[in-house]
Every structure is written in C-alpha cells, then in structure tokens.
Amino acid sequence: MNFDIALMLAQDGIVNGAIYALLALSTVLVFQITRVIFIPSGTFVAFAALTLAALQAGKCPATVWLLVGGGLAVAALDIYQRQWRTCGDLAAILFWNVGYPLALAALLQVVKTDDWPVLAQGALCCLILVPLGPVMYRLVYAPVVAASVLVLLIVSIAVDVALVSFGLLVFGSDGMRAPSMIDVDFALGPLTITGQSLVILGTSVALIAGLYVFFEHTLEGKALRATAVNRVGARLMGIATGKSGKRAFALAVFIAVCAGLLAAPTTTIYYDTGFLIGLRGLVGAIFGGLASYPLAALGAILLGLIESVSAFEASSFKEVIVFSLLIPVLLARTLLTDDPGHEEE
C-alpha cells in the first residue's frame, strides 16, 4: 500500500465513519434515556433510502401505511388506558395519532413527488418516518419500561426482525441507489472529492453541532439530559420520563433517517441492508461505553477507517475484522470499570 492508496482509503473510511457516527450517537442517546439498545436504527436507515426511492418514482411509500396503522393502535391504546385528562389532551391524541397520519397518506395519494427537489423529498421522508419512533416506543417499549436491559435488548431484536420482514413485504428484494445530491467532483492531489462525500461530512457535523446546541441550550434537551442522569430524580422534579422516551426515540429515528438519506447515493440499499449498518453504529457506541457521545463518534470514525483498510487488504474477512474489535473493547471495559451497572429504578 503506497501513500496515495492510504489517502484514498482514509477518505472512504472517514465518509463511511461519519454515517456510523450518526447511528452511534442515536444508539447512545436512546440507551442513556431509556436503557434500550436501539437495534432497529439500522433498519430505519434502509427504510429512509427505500422511502426516498418510492418518492422519486412518484409512488406512495408503503411506510406511510405503517405510520397509519401504528398511529391508530396508539390512539386506541391511549384512549383505552385513559391517558388523557382534558378534552384538549384527547384532541391532541387523535390529531397526532389519527389525523396527521391519515392526512399524510391522503396527500401522498394525490401528489406526485417524482419532480420535487431532493431536499423536499428528504423532508417528506422525515415527516413519514420520524413519527414512527414515538409510536414504536409507546406500543413496544413503554409497557416494558421497567424490564432489565437484557429483556429490552431481546425486545429490540424482535422489533427489528418484524420491521425487516415488513420491509421485505412492501419493498421487495430489489435494491435501490439514489442519485447523488450534488453531482460535482474535483481533484485534490491524488484524491477525487465528490460532492456527495462533502454533503455527508457537512451534514454529519451540522447534526452533531445541532445535538450539542439542543442538549446544552434548550429546556427540552436539558430535560432529556436530566432523565439520562437520574430518571427517578427527573421524575421528582416534574419531568415526564415517558415523554422523554418518546422524544428520544423521535430524535434517534430522525438521525437514522438522515443517515439513510445520506447513504442512499453511496451504496445500493436493500430491505435488510440496515442491519449491518446499525450493528456498526452499535460497535461505535460501545467504543464510547454507551455513555460518551464524543467517544462513540470517534469510535465510529475509527471503525470506518479500519473497515476501509480491511476491505482493501483482506476483503473476505472485512466483517470478521470489524466486529472482532468488540472483543478487546469489551474486555478492556470489563477490566477497567468497577461498577458497570446502570441506574435501576
């Protein structure tokens, strides 16, 4: 390997690592607030790319019907369990869980989106997929919120299997690759810098900076941080930890959808592609001990670099090398951490 090849591998690794860093941050975010290891984050990456493909083909994406079904189930559950005190609360439940999904589905039946700008199509993907985060939390995780981390992990795996099966049912086995968001490239020494790689790096940095501002300078962000530090204490201070869980899932799904929209022009996405991408994000999150956002992001970038070099030097063992990194990291954390336990209520 000469210097030019090393530079090209580093470029490829950093771009891929930026995608993994977003998923690592979403994994840390959800785990810190709800103790859920968010395995389905990778599947939302695939859903975002496939939903974008449907919109670019002028079709109504099937994921909107998943939102309609989930919203109806949440509304029925909230009304049955009387999760409302005033008529305003009931109206809000019906609007966000019934009115909004049905209005979105009706809009997609009459509007052709194939000639929309790619940014508008991406925003529409977010409007379809991001609400699935709170819906998923309310239907699946809220009833078992007090369960152990192992039980929540098993639930996450089951949810991911169900979502992947849904993806195969509605999207089929064919893959898609979206056109580049910016069809520009230029040479920088031995490197060819593409516009899409700049979009990925710029968007990833902007999202990370936005998360920092959100958590440091907004009341909602501080409430989520308080819930992550001490759930019981946050509840005693009047913070609704249940709503914090919904917000954490909405934010995590938003990050995963952004990662999917960014990754769609760089590789062919299939209904089950997101699983391995999500696992790489989880490995990055474990680098940060599922607690540190900076270490998780740096771990994901390192993972991308190692993956890029492994694909060049030993492509047949690329996956083995990447996921084997978990062994020394977990061993080191086990030996160096005195109290690995997370706060239990």
Side-chain angles (χ1 to χ4, degrees):
M1 180 190 304
N2 57 36
F3 183 70
D4 290 349
I5 292 177
L7 281 180
M8 288 187 281
L9 292 177
Q11 178 195 17
D12 186 57
I14 291 173
V15 171
N16 290 335
I19 300 290
Y20 303 153
L22 293 179
L23 294 176
L25 294 179
S26 71
T27 301
V28 173
L29 169 68
V30 170
F31 183 78
Q32 281 289 293
I33 295 171
T34 65
R35 298 180 302 131
V36 172
I37 297 178
F38 192 38
I39 301 294
S41 63
T43 301
F44 277 101
V45 171
F47 276 13
L50 296 171
T51 299
L52 177 65
L55 293 176
Q56 291 180 336
K59 300 177 182 177
C60 175
T63 42
V64 74
W65 299 115
L66 182 63
L67 177 62
V68 170
L72 289 173
V74 169
L77 188 62
D78 282 351
I79 293 174
Y80 175 74
Q81 296 182 345
R82 296 191 65 82
Q83 299 290 322
W84 51 280
R85 296 179 180 177
T86 66
C87 293
D89 294 340
L90 180 60
I93 290 173
L94 292 176
F95 173 77
W96 287 112
N97 297 300
V98 180
Y100 173 77
L102 288 177
L104 196 58
L107 177 67
L108 290 171
Q109 294 296 319
V110 297
V111 174
K112 295 299 181 183
T113 56
D114 52 338
D115 57 349
W116 284 21
V118 67
L119 287 179
Q121 293 169 341
L124 190 52
C125 283
C126 291
L127 292 177
I128 296 170
L129 295 174
V130 172
L132 286 172
V135 166
M136 184 193 310
Y137 178 81
R138 178 66 182 93
L139 292 177
V140 179
Y141 294 104
V144 293
V145 67
S148 66
V149 173
L150 178 59
V151 172
L152 293 174
L153 173 61
I154 294 171
V155 171
S156 270
I157 294 172
V159 171
D160 190 62
V161 171
L163 288 176
V164 171
S165 301
F166 174 81
L168 175 61
L169 178 66
V170 299
F171 293 117
S173 58
D174 295 333
M176 64 77 57
R177 184 167 185 161
S180 177
M181 294 179 180
I182 298 179
D183 193 14
V184 175
D185 53 26
F186 58 90
L188 181 63
L191 301 178
T192 298
I193 309 296
T194 64
Q196 185 61 34
S197 64
L198 294 178
V199 170
I200 290 174
L201 294 176
T203 306
S204 298
V205 171
L207 281 173
I208 292 172
L211 285 174
Y212 173 79
V213 173
F214 175 74
F215 283 115
E216 292 292 333
H217 299 288
T218 67
L219 187 60
E220 294 291 336
K222 291 176 181 177
L224 288 179
R225 286 175 55 199
T227 305
V229 172
N230 189 320
R231 301 179 67 189
V232 177
R235 187 178 300 169
L236 292 175
M237 294 302 294
I239 297 173
T241 55
K243 289 183 179 178
S244 295
K246 290 181 181 178
R247 289 168 185 148
F249 268 74
L251 198 52
V253 171
F254 171 71
I255 296 171
V257 170
C258 289
L261 297 176
L262 292 172
T266 65
T267 184
T268 302
I269 302 288
Y270 298 88
Y271 71 97
D272 59 349
T273 301
F275 180 71
L276 286 179
I277 298 176
L279 281 186
R280 289 178 172 85
L282 176 60
V283 173
I286 291 175
F287 269 80
L290 291 171
S292 171
Y293 293 99
L295 287 180
L298 291 175
I301 297 292
L302 177 63
L303 186 71
L305 291 170
I306 293 174
E307 180 190 39
S308 180
V309 175
S310 302
F312 179 79
E313 296 288 355
S315 59
S316 300
F317 299 97
K318 180 182 71 172
E319 308 294 350
V320 176
I321 294 172
V322 167
F323 293 113
S324 295
L325 293 174
L326 274 177
I327 297 174
V329 173
L330 291 175
L331 183 61
R333 288 201 166 274
T334 301
L335 296 176
L336 298 176
T337 303
D338 293 330
D339 180 14
H342 192 79
E343 176 206 1
E344 299 285 350
E345 288 185 70

